[in-house]
Amino acid sequence: MPAISLEGVRKSYSLAQVEFRALDDVSLSVEAGTIQGIIGFSGSGKTTLLRCISRLERVDAGRVVVDGADLAHLDGAALRIARRRLGIVFQQYHLLRSRTVAENVALPLELAGIGRTAIAARVGELLEWFGLNGKRDAYLSQLSGGQRQRVAIARALATKPAVLLSDEPTSALDAETTASVLETLQRVRDEMGITIILVTHELNAVRAICDKVAVLDHGRIVEQVSVPDLFLRPSSDAARRLLGLPNSPDYVRMLIGESKLPADSILLSLQLAGASAELPLLTQAARYFGIDLHVVHGEVGRLRDVPYGNLIVVARGEAGPIARAVKFLRENGAAVNPLDSHDGGNRA
Ligand SMILES: Nc1ncnc2c1ncn2[C@@H]1O[C@H](COP(=O)(O)OP(=O)(O)OP(=O)(O)O)[C@@H](O)[C@H]1O
């Protein structure tokens, strides 16, 4: 059974009597014990989606089933109890300045009416697990950003939720602290078996710890794929733009500072993964077919040990050899798409 299942979720806001659909028929199933990333451009609906899952916002239509309970259709005491199965962390921590670390972590347990002895035991267990024992009596002002976020995560997990929702938990942190918070989230999944939803605009966070990732675009999920598939084979326009792989030739020309390419050249988008990324395919294609292949934009790297390259290449030469080179690249496992229909993209 999935830990979270969204079916046909819709949410609109009215602004100056104009209805704006922030979530449009969103369906998503998140397996228990996994980290689900949610990415998308600003305004695509990420935060709204988290607010609807946590019932901070009521959906207009659809089902929001968390750990077996449909939060969209619960009210009163039943909703309060069901919400304890969810923990939430935010970018800005939302911790209380007037309380110590231990008192912050205790807060949700106090609100749930748990007895003092049980609260002390649970808080002690969490502070130990999060390496915060030495800070139990410290106040917010005495903590680093990373420590604050660990306190916020510990507090979110106080009531032993099945699911942790995290909204941009690392965007206020430097690279090193980000890495340690991401590692903490990974341990939360691995050692506590908690399902995590991670809303982020940082692709590195997705690459580092997510199992699957959903791409939101204008309130719709346009891709729900494994993390390797996002990086190695992005299919939606939104995912390609998020990865810095634009589909628009004009945008690429601006990026490379060339308003016009030579008449005998075309722009190619090239994706290589696994074995194809280990071969010197571009050099071979250029040599065999007597053309120039010039990488003008993109990235190469390794994703969970699979080498990959997402490249924008200017191919220069005669139409026939370019078409044969493209065929050769495809036969050797590269995904090749002409970007430019004006400068003869149809030749490939
Ligand atoms: N309470 C609200 N009233 C009216 N419009 C809203 C409200 N909350 C969100 N919106 C609109 O819904 C759309 C989605 O907003 P949301 O905050 O979910 O996007 P996001 O992807 O989280 O963006 P960001 O990355 O900038 O946080 C935006 O156009 C936003 O202006």
Side-chain angles (χ1 to χ4, degrees):
M1 189 180 70
I4 301 169
S5 164
L6 308 178
E7 292 164 32
V9 169
R10 291 206 162 88
K11 176 74 193 170
S12 296
Y13 295 110
S14 287
L15 270 180
Q17 318 237 306
V18 178
E19 195 181 89
F20 175 80
R21 195 165 273 190
L23 293 178
D24 192 1
D25 199 12
V26 168
S27 297
L28 179 70
S29 178
V30 183
E31 279 311 306
T34 61
I35 302 183
Q36 168 76 50
I38 310 271
I39 59 170
F41 285 104
S42 186
S44 57
K46 305 182 296 295
T47 297
T48 305
L49 184 62
L50 272 201
R51 291 177 63 83
C52 286
I53 297 175
S54 60
R55 239 327 262 287
L56 289 168
E57 228 33 278
R58 195 168 203 147
V59 299
D60 299 334
R63 279 159 54 83
V64 179
V65 182
V66 177
D67 199 27
D70 184 357
L71 292 188
H73 297 99
L74 288 180
D75 278 302
L79 176 62
R80 277 199 301 281
I81 291 168
R83 280 182 68 180
R84 282 184 208 142
R85 306 296 291 145
L86 270 173
I88 312 182
V89 284
F90 303 93
Q91 176 186 350
Q92 295 304 339
Y93 324 118
H94 293 206
L95 296 167
L96 297 177
R97 295 190 168 274
S98 57
R99 284 185 165 231
T100 63
V101 165
E103 288 165 352
N104 264 293
V105 175
L107 187 62
L109 298 165
E110 290 168 17
L111 294 175
I114 311 286
R116 285 176 65 164
T117 322
I119 291 182
R122 178 70 180 144
V123 170
E125 195 176 278
L126 283 162
L127 294 184
E128 170 84 37
W129 197 91
F130 281 91
L132 290 163
N133 260 340
K135 296 284 176 190
R136 62 173 302 126
D137 297 320
Y139 287 90
L140 206 55
S141 56
Q142 299 165 304
L143 302 179
S144 69
Q147 287 165 340
R148 288 178 195 189
Q149 200 53 292
R150 278 210 295 282
V151 176
I153 298 171
R155 184 187 58 179
L157 298 179
T159 56
K160 301 194 173 167
V163 168
L164 178 68
L165 305 178
S166 44
D167 193 0
E168 302 274 11
T170 57
S171 33
L173 306 174
D174 61 54
E176 206 167 301
T177 315
T178 291
S180 88
V181 169
L182 292 176
E183 198 189 315
T184 303
L185 289 174
Q186 201 166 23
R187 279 183 58 217
V188 166
R189 173 197 60 190
D190 295 346
E191 295 173 27
M192 299 186 186
I194 288 173
T195 310
I196 300 177
I197 294 210
L198 176 69
V199 162
T200 183
H201 67 271
E202 291 164 291
L203 290 170
N204 279 338
V206 171
R207 202 187 334 242
I209 65 165
C210 291
D211 298 296
K212 285 201 162 178
V213 58
V215 182
L216 263 181
D217 189 21
H218 294 97
R220 289 179 159 269
I221 292 188
V222 291
E223 234 173 298
Q224 156 70 344
V225 290
S226 72
V227 168
D229 276 351
L230 176 79
F231 286 92
L232 307 180
R233 289 170 280 278
S235 63
S236 63
D237 187 48
R240 290 184 56 84
R241 282 188 292 129
L242 284 163
L243 290 174
L245 289 171
N247 282 325
S248 142
D250 290 340
Y251 187 78
V252 173
R253 282 200 210 89
M254 186 194 75
L255 216 60
I256 62 180
E258 297 266 359
S259 58
K260 201 154 170 42
L261 292 170
D264 62 343
S265 67
I266 61 169
L267 279 171
L268 298 173
S269 154
L270 224 108
Q271 284 158 253
L272 308 152
S276 69
E278 310 222 44
L279 300 171
L281 281 185
L282 287 182
T283 324
Q284 288 175 347
R287 200 167 54 226
Y288 296 165
F289 302 100
I291 59 170
D292 286 337
L293 289 171
H294 177 38
V295 178
V296 288
H297 184 71
E299 66 158 341
V300 289
R302 292 186 85 81
L303 188 82
R304 319 248 160 106
D305 278 342
V306 178
Y308 75 96
N310 281 325
L311 308 171
I312 306 273
V313 172
V314 176
R316 190 162 185 198
E318 288 182 18
I322 289 183
R324 285 196 287 281
V326 167
K327 186 162 173 278
F328 165 83
L329 291 166
R330 286 180 179 148
E331 282 166 0
N332 282 281
V336 189
N337 291 297
L339 272 187
D340 205 325
S341 51
H342 305 298
D343 296 352
N346 52 353
R347 295 170 4 185

mmCIF file of all heavy atoms in Angstrom, residues 255-272:
data_model
loop_
_atom_site.group_PDB
_atom_site.id
_atom_site.type_symbol
_atom_site.label_atom_id
_atom_site.label_comp_id
_atom_site.label_asym_id
_atom_site.label_seq_id
_atom_site.Cartn_x
_atom_site.Cartn_y
_atom_site.Cartn_z
ATOM 1 N N LEU A 255 22.246 31.723 -24.793
ATOM 2 C CA LEU A 255 23.110 31.103 -23.794
ATOM 3 C C LEU A 255 24.563 31.052 -24.254
ATOM 4 O O LEU A 255 25.488 31.284 -23.499
ATOM 5 C CB LEU A 255 22.593 29.672 -23.606
ATOM 6 C CG LEU A 255 22.601 29.013 -22.266
ATOM 7 C CD1 LEU A 255 21.763 29.793 -21.275
ATOM 8 C CD2 LEU A 255 22.023 27.608 -22.418
ATOM 9 N N ILE A 256 24.754 30.749 -25.547
ATOM 10 C CA ILE A 256 26.120 30.596 -26.028
ATOM 11 C C ILE A 256 26.637 31.891 -26.657
ATOM 12 O O ILE A 256 27.734 31.951 -27.196
ATOM 13 C CB ILE A 256 26.258 29.413 -27.019
ATOM 14 C CG1 ILE A 256 25.401 29.634 -28.270
ATOM 15 C CG2 ILE A 256 25.886 28.117 -26.347
ATOM 16 C CD1 ILE A 256 25.499 28.499 -29.284
ATOM 17 N N GLY A 257 25.802 32.940 -26.587
ATOM 18 C CA GLY A 257 26.238 34.239 -27.056
ATOM 19 C C GLY A 257 26.385 34.330 -28.563
ATOM 20 O O GLY A 257 27.185 35.099 -29.067
ATOM 21 N N GLU A 258 25.618 33.519 -29.286
ATOM 22 C CA GLU A 258 25.668 33.557 -30.758
ATOM 23 C C GLU A 258 24.278 33.895 -31.253
ATOM 24 O O GLU A 258 23.361 33.106 -31.072
ATOM 25 C CB GLU A 258 26.013 32.160 -31.321
ATOM 26 C CG GLU A 258 27.359 31.645 -30.921
ATOM 27 C CD GLU A 258 28.407 31.957 -31.958
ATOM 28 O OE1 GLU A 258 28.053 32.560 -32.982
ATOM 29 O OE2 GLU A 258 29.569 31.613 -31.723
ATOM 30 N N SER A 259 24.123 35.042 -31.876
ATOM 31 C CA SER A 259 22.776 35.349 -32.341
ATOM 32 C C SER A 259 22.450 34.528 -33.588
ATOM 33 O O SER A 259 21.320 34.176 -33.847
ATOM 34 C CB SER A 259 22.641 36.836 -32.616
ATOM 35 O OG SER A 259 23.602 37.200 -33.560
ATOM 36 N N LYS A 260 23.487 34.191 -34.344
ATOM 37 C CA LYS A 260 23.237 33.414 -35.560
ATOM 38 C C LYS A 260 24.335 32.370 -35.715
ATOM 39 O O LYS A 260 25.507 32.654 -35.496
ATOM 40 C CB LYS A 260 23.257 34.372 -36.762
ATOM 41 C CG LYS A 260 22.554 33.832 -37.950
ATOM 42 C CD LYS A 260 22.042 34.961 -38.845
ATOM 43 C CE LYS A 260 21.543 34.424 -40.174
ATOM 44 N NZ LYS A 260 20.776 33.204 -40.085
ATOM 45 N N LEU A 261 23.933 31.181 -36.072
ATOM 46 C CA LEU A 261 24.949 30.142 -36.293
ATOM 47 C C LEU A 261 25.275 30.097 -37.787
ATOM 48 O O LEU A 261 24.444 30.476 -38.604
ATOM 49 C CB LEU A 261 24.403 28.792 -35.849
ATOM 50 C CG LEU A 261 24.182 28.650 -34.342
ATOM 51 C CD1 LEU A 261 23.421 27.376 -34.037
ATOM 52 C CD2 LEU A 261 25.511 28.658 -33.605
ATOM 53 N N PRO A 262 26.464 29.612 -38.149
ATOM 54 C CA PRO A 262 26.806 29.507 -39.572
ATOM 55 C C PRO A 262 25.751 28.679 -40.321
ATOM 56 O O PRO A 262 25.136 27.768 -39.742
ATOM 57 C CB PRO A 262 28.151 28.785 -39.559
ATOM 58 C CG PRO A 262 28.696 29.010 -38.188
ATOM 59 C CD PRO A 262 27.541 29.189 -37.274
ATOM 60 N N ALA A 263 25.559 28.997 -41.598
ATOM 61 C CA ALA A 263 24.480 28.373 -42.374
ATOM 62 C C ALA A 263 24.620 26.855 -42.467
ATOM 63 O O ALA A 263 23.619 26.145 -42.555
ATOM 64 C CB ALA A 263 24.471 28.979 -43.762
ATOM 65 N N ASP A 264 25.849 26.360 -42.419
ATOM 66 C CA ASP A 264 26.004 24.904 -42.565
ATOM 67 C C ASP A 264 26.053 24.209 -41.209
ATOM 68 O O ASP A 264 26.645 23.142 -41.059
ATOM 69 C CB ASP A 264 27.271 24.585 -43.370
ATOM 70 C CG ASP A 264 28.525 25.084 -42.664
ATOM 71 O OD1 ASP A 264 28.386 25.933 -41.743
ATOM 72 O OD2 ASP A 264 29.629 24.640 -43.013
ATOM 73 N N SER A 265 25.418 24.802 -40.177
ATOM 74 C CA SER A 265 25.455 24.148 -38.860
ATOM 75 C C SER A 265 24.048 23.977 -38.301
ATOM 76 O O SER A 265 23.134 24.722 -38.671
ATOM 77 C CB SER A 265 26.306 24.966 -37.897
ATOM 78 O OG SER A 265 25.680 26.194 -37.641
ATOM 79 N N ILE A 266 23.894 22.993 -37.446
ATOM 80 C CA ILE A 266 22.618 22.834 -36.744
ATOM 81 C C ILE A 266 22.902 22.548 -35.274
ATOM 82 O O ILE A 266 23.988 22.095 -34.898
ATOM 83 C CB ILE A 266 21.740 21.695 -37.330
ATOM 84 C CG1 ILE A 266 22.450 20.346 -37.219
ATOM 85 C CG2 ILE A 266 21.348 21.977 -38.753
ATOM 86 C CD1 ILE A 266 21.520 19.189 -37.537
ATOM 87 N N LEU A 267 21.892 22.829 -34.447
ATOM 88 C CA LEU A 267 22.012 22.569 -33.010
ATOM 89 C C LEU A 267 21.393 21.217 -32.700
ATOM 90 O O LEU A 267 20.269 20.927 -33.115
ATOM 91 C CB LEU A 267 21.243 23.640 -32.230
ATOM 92 C CG LEU A 267 21.925 24.978 -32.013
ATOM 93 C CD1 LEU A 267 20.932 25.971 -31.430
ATOM 94 C CD2 LEU A 267 23.117 24.814 -31.066
ATOM 95 N N LEU A 268 22.129 20.420 -31.962
ATOM 96 C CA LEU A 268 21.607 19.101 -31.573
ATOM 97 C C LEU A 268 21.566 19.002 -30.054
ATOM 98 O O LEU A 268 22.478 19.451 -29.368
ATOM 99 C CB LEU A 268 22.531 17.983 -32.088
ATOM 100 C CG LEU A 268 22.728 17.847 -33.586
ATOM 101 C CD1 LEU A 268 23.800 16.796 -33.880
ATOM 102 C CD2 LEU A 268 21.412 17.465 -34.255
ATOM 103 N N SER A 269 20.496 18.399 -29.559
ATOM 104 C CA SER A 269 20.447 18.060 -28.137
ATOM 105 C C SER A 269 20.825 16.583 -28.033
ATOM 106 O O SER A 269 20.274 15.736 -28.736
ATOM 107 C CB SER A 269 19.032 18.299 -27.625
ATOM 108 O OG SER A 269 18.799 17.481 -26.520
ATOM 109 N N LEU A 270 21.767 16.278 -27.164
ATOM 110 C CA LEU A 270 22.311 14.921 -27.103
ATOM 111 C C LEU A 270 22.290 14.391 -25.687
ATOM 112 O O LEU A 270 22.756 15.080 -24.770
ATOM 113 C CB LEU A 270 23.775 15.026 -27.519
ATOM 114 C CG LEU A 270 24.280 13.983 -28.464
ATOM 115 C CD1 LEU A 270 24.471 14.626 -29.804
ATOM 116 C CD2 LEU A 270 25.599 13.458 -27.949
ATOM 117 N N GLN A 271 21.710 13.235 -25.483
ATOM 118 C CA GLN A 271 21.768 12.636 -24.146
ATOM 119 C C GLN A 271 22.432 11.269 -24.221
ATOM 120 O O GLN A 271 22.064 10.427 -25.032
ATOM 121 C CB GLN A 271 20.356 12.490 -23.589
ATOM 122 C CG GLN A 271 19.795 13.804 -23.127
ATOM 123 C CD GLN A 271 18.302 13.764 -23.102
ATOM 124 O OE1 GLN A 271 17.638 14.353 -23.944
ATOM 125 N NE2 GLN A 271 17.785 13.021 -22.157
ATOM 126 N N LEU A 272 23.420 11.113 -23.369
ATOM 127 C CA LEU A 272 24.170 9.865 -23.322
ATOM 128 C C LEU A 272 24.062 9.328 -21.907
ATOM 129 O O LEU A 272 24.116 10.099 -20.951
ATOM 130 C CB LEU A 272 25.649 10.121 -23.610
ATOM 131 C CG LEU A 272 25.984 10.907 -24.862
ATOM 132 C CD1 LEU A 272 27.286 11.653 -24.690
ATOM 133 C CD2 LEU A 272 26.070 9.959 -26.031
#
